[in-house]
Amino acid sequence: MVDDPYNCLTLCSGSLNANPANNVAAIVRKHCDRIAFAHIRNVKHFPNGDFSEASHRDCDGETGILEILKAYHDGGFEGYIRPDHGRHLWDEKPGNVRPGYGLYDRALGIMYMLGAWDYMDKFGV
């Protein structure tokens, strides 16, 4: 409503892909210049319409993480990227972390995404 560079979007790929009809990469391409915060997570859909959060690896869900990262990369994105909604791994026992915000799985997620970003930088993909 107000075209101002301080009016930005937080774009959550997982929430948008809860509806598999949404093409999140296309949404990123359209609005990349107005996205300040990329909230990246992956979801897996089930035949009955339910979905669950999945690891950030592209092959573990249907969100299209690599295509979304490419859309951000090609759009010159310089905002914040945050992996989200990981599972608890290793020594993260109940009471140590909030559900969905496991430290280790989010760390693995961001390193996966940064590795893909580095690959695009280096090889011009």
Side-chain angles (χ1 to χ4, degrees), residues 2-125:
V2 177
D3 189 20
D4 186 292
Y6 293 104
N7 288 339
C8 296
L9 300 168
T10 293
L11 194 136
C12 177
S13 62
S15 294
L16 288 169
N17 198 307
N19 178 350
N22 287 331
N23 182 330
V24 180
I27 295 168
V28 169
R29 284 187 188 93
K30 180 177 180 181
H31 300 289
C32 192
D33 63 329
R34 297 309 287 263
I35 300 170
F37 188 81
H39 190 240
I40 299 179
R41 65 181 163 125
N42 202 1
V43 298
K44 179 169 181 53
H45 298 98
F46 298 98
N48 68 354
D50 289 348
F51 69 92
S52 68
E53 296 162 349
S55 83
H56 293 90
R57 289 189 67 212
D58 195 68
C59 62
D60 288 342
E62 291 91 27
T63 306
I65 297 295
L66 292 174
E67 191 60 33
I68 290 167
L69 287 169
K70 184 164 176 30
Y72 279 114
H73 185 270
D74 293 352
F77 183 72
E78 294 182 351
Y80 296 97
I81 294 177
R82 178 177 179 223
D84 200 20
H85 296 279
R87 286 124 352 258
H88 295 198
L89 300 173
W90 301 305
D91 289 330
E92 296 179 322
K93 296 175 178 63
N96 292 345
V97 295
R98 294 179 300 156
Y101 292 89
L103 171 66
Y104 300 121
D105 196 51
R106 285 187 299 132
L108 290 171
I110 195 63
M111 291 314 299
Y112 172 79
M113 290 186 279
L114 289 175
W117 196 279
D118 287 347
Y119 185 89
M120 288 183 272
D121 279 345
K122 184 167 184 153
F123 297 106
V125 175

